[in-house]
Amino acid sequence: SEVGVSSLEGSSKLTTKEMSATGSLKGAIYHAFFQAMGYPQVALWVLLVLLTYAAYLFCDLWLTQWLVETAATPLILASNGELLPPPATSLLSPPLPPSSPPPSPPPPSPGSQRQQRLNLPSYAYPLIYAAGGLSHTMLIIVAGLYFVIISVKASKTLHLDTITRVVYAPLHWYDATPSGRIISRFTSDMQAIDQRLTQDVDNMLQMLVVAVLQIFFVGAIAPPLLGVACIAIFFFGYVTYVGDNSIREVRRLTNNAVSPIMTTLSEVKNGAAIIRAMDLGSFFAARQSANVQQWIRLAYCTRALQSWTAHGCSFLAFIFGTATSFVLLGVRGVYPEQQAALALTYSLVVPYFIVVISELFVTMRTGFASLERLLEYTTIVQEAPHVLPADPPPTSWPVRGAITFEHVSLRYRPGLPLALIDFSAEIAAHEKVGIVGRTGAGKSTLILALFRLVEVAGGTITIDGQQLGLLGLKTLRRAMTIIPQDPVLHEGTVSHNLDPFETVSAQTLRDVLRRARLPEAMLDLEVSKGGTNLSSGERQLLCFARALLERSQILILDEATSNLDGASDEAIQMLLRQEFVDFTVMTIAHRLHTVIDYDKLLVMGGGKLLEHGTPYGLLTATDGVLAAMAKALGESGEMDLLKRSSASATERTATMEHSPLDYVSAVDSTTQCADGYELHT
């Protein structure tokens, strides 16, 4: 099932409980990791590792051959450069003359084996040994660098796939998923994959190849030791299996324990002012302390289990090494001394490698548990397609900006009540429409439906006759510009904030700033994060400058002036009337003074359209909702609204009388583009 979908169906809970996988890791986890690297690249890396340690084993074997040749021909270099046999080892034995042949080696004992001589020149042995050592060094460097390259590629691929799924997740998934869960995936889990997991996989393969080669060599020299090795490997595997099962489950709980820590940090950072004002510092400190203590308990338990596994494997390694040593010493006369010595060395080294392999296996599986958590987000349900073949080109749609809502209903996710109920309205091209209502009336929900941030549960929305549900999301959202209550500004210059992709000239940007009532000289001004070095009015005016630059036919203001004082609000409304004449403007407002001079008002309540019409007509209606809201402002406030709406109505009537044909033509063409729906003006 897709993450964040099945758990939300039919649920009215605000957030969902974080799920934790149980049981052994699925093969799909390993497949995803190695697929991100690329299977051909992984095969090449394995081949390089095999060649690396084949060269390592060759060096050891060649060293034993060199020792055989040296023992068979014990010559020394004389002062004149001639190779001579060494002097006699006994004081009673006279030295051999230079012309005498070297002494013959003693005859082999019954049942013993002798290593064959190659009779190469004496200088060949060190040269071949040096070449083998150099080959091993070069191969291990090449294999290491190559693995770094493919592991970085895998990390980038996994990160890109996951972040893409998260970015294109629907809004209800974000509503049900605390930010700490998302942050923990891209911090602690991603760090474990980038650093520990890749290192453990690399070390695991190298140690495994070394151990296998050494075990086979020891078994080839002394076949009885293969039985000892099989018994030891069985017990190693059993201890590792038991430890891994326990560690894996505890590690999953440890990973999940990071999410509450990150969530609390995010809440404290975003709400620091409110926390201080309400003196809730001790509450959040206690909650974070409990979160950290829970994580520490689980992390300590994980480390303790890892230590238990390591100690158990170390004990088995000691038994294996001791048994191997006694076997080789007991049959020392049967096998070549040089190879037996090398086998004895390996028998003492192999247990160390097996212990390391056991520890690496456990930590590697722990890393794959982090990968498992990350891959959960690759199955998140996605928004609708962003681009569709039938999408109209941006230059041909929308041309005018007429919007029609027909019986639109919307709920935020399955199991929740409708937030928008049977909403129907029509907005003519270039019309200025205000949307008012009390908190929770459904004003912002209407904007979510328009941008398809939440898909409608019923009904249709059209712009210039084009049904929005049949468009790609990118095509739809680029057709509109929204200015939110909190301006979105990034660190960088004003120029970068207006045109981050540098698609227009500097002179065009200066013209836009001037039209937005901002000084042209601020184009190169550095903007701090969130625009904190600018006033509230300047931040909003920059957003209006963006809207002028985009030239979308539809402009939506979502409480864009609610944080401004009355004078700044009035200045922005003047900007709208002068610079956005050819735009269809939808403004969500709490203050009636902001939209009282608009062409039309939509009054909402409980997710329904309660009434709509001209501001003056609604204010003078008997028992009207807007009239009741105006009365709540007091007599002076109500009279001011009536005065301004009346003046606006008079000005609008004069405009219609001055050019009635243009107005009728606009209405008729809008009606034709809207599939025959009549406009109510």
Side-chain angles (χ1 to χ4, degrees), residues 105-329:
S109 58
S112 65
Q113 303 173 13
R114 287 292 173 186
Q115 194 166 343
Q116 297 296 321
R117 295 179 57 193
L118 299 178
N119 296 318
L120 296 176
S122 57
Y123 62 82
Y125 294 98
L127 289 178
I128 294 176
Y129 183 78
L134 182 62
S135 300
H136 172 68
T137 303
M138 295 302 297
L139 283 169
I140 201 170
I141 292 174
V142 171
L145 290 176
Y146 185 71
F147 183 76
V148 168
I149 293 172
I150 63 175
S151 63
V152 169
K153 174 197 170 188
S155 295
K156 290 174 64 176
T157 301
L158 292 169
H159 182 271
L160 180 61
D161 290 347
T162 308
I163 196 68
T164 301
R165 300 289 294 190
V166 169
V167 167
Y168 293 114
L171 189 63
H172 67 75
W173 182 83
Y174 285 98
D175 291 339
T177 306
S179 60
R181 294 184 195 171
I182 304 173
I183 294 172
S184 67
R185 256 65 169 196
F186 291 99
T187 51
S188 60
D189 290 329
M190 200 68 219
Q191 181 185 22
I193 296 167
D194 286 343
Q195 299 178 6
R196 296 195 299 271
L197 178 58
T198 53
Q199 290 178 2
D200 290 341
V201 169
D202 185 26
N203 294 335
M204 175 76 179
L205 179 64
Q206 296 196 40
M207 293 292 182
L208 185 62
V209 171
V210 173
V212 169
L213 289 176
Q214 291 179 349
I215 288 173
F216 274 107
F217 178 79
V218 172
I221 297 300
L225 289 176
L226 283 177
V228 178
C230 290
I231 295 173
I233 291 174
F234 170 78
F235 282 106
F236 272 116
Y238 179 74
V239 172
T240 304
Y241 172 77
V242 172
D244 175 63
N245 280 347
S246 302
I247 293 169
R248 183 180 62 247
E249 299 303 326
V250 176
R251 186 63 190 175
R252 282 168 171 163
L253 296 175
T254 306
N255 290 338
N256 286 351
V258 176
S259 299
I261 297 175
M262 303 304 295
T263 299
T264 302
L265 285 174
S266 178
E267 291 173 351
V268 170
K269 178 180 178 297
N270 295 331
I274 297 176
I275 291 172
R276 291 194 185 101
M278 301 184 66
D279 195 21
L280 293 175
S282 58
F283 168 78
F284 281 93
R287 190 173 79 173
Q288 187 71 327
S289 177
N291 293 336
V292 172
Q293 287 178 10
Q294 176 67 7
W295 177 83
I296 290 174
R297 281 194 291 267
L298 294 170
Y300 176 79
C301 186
T302 302
R303 187 56 189 160
L305 289 170
Q306 290 175 344
S307 298
W308 177 88
T309 304
H311 286 309
C313 291
S314 298
F315 177 73
L316 292 173
F318 169 75
I319 295 176
F320 173 72
T322 304
T324 304
S325 301
F326 279 116
V327 170
L328 287 174
L329 291 174

Side-chain angles (χ1 to χ4, degrees), residues 559-639:
E559 305 281 0
T561 61
S562 61
N563 293 332
L564 304 180
D565 55 53
S568 300
D569 188 358
E570 181 59 33
I572 286 180
Q573 297 306 319
M574 182 64 68
L575 173 66
L576 282 172
R577 286 190 288 270
Q578 295 178 356
E579 298 291 344
F580 292 87
V581 176
D582 297 331
F583 288 67
T584 300
V585 179
M586 294 177 61
T587 300
I588 296 175
H590 272 105
R591 291 187 293 208
L592 296 181
H593 290 82
T594 301
V595 294
I596 200 63
D597 57 352
Y598 276 33
D599 300 327
K600 182 191 294 184
L601 293 184
L602 306 179
V603 184
M604 299 188 65
K608 299 178 180 180
L609 179 62
L610 301 181
E611 59 185 18
H612 64 95
T614 62
Y616 185 75
L618 294 177
L619 285 174
T620 56
T622 305
D623 298 329
V625 178
L626 186 68
M629 295 171 65
K631 281 183 170 51
L633 298 176
E635 184 177 352
S636 60
E638 182 183 8
M639 293 303 298

Side-chain angles (χ1 to χ4, degrees), residues 24-34 39 365 368:
S24 61
L25 295 171
K26 297 178 175 59
I29 307 298
Y30 303 99
H31 170 69
F33 181 73
F34 292 114
Y39 278 108
R365 297 264 289 180
F368 276 111

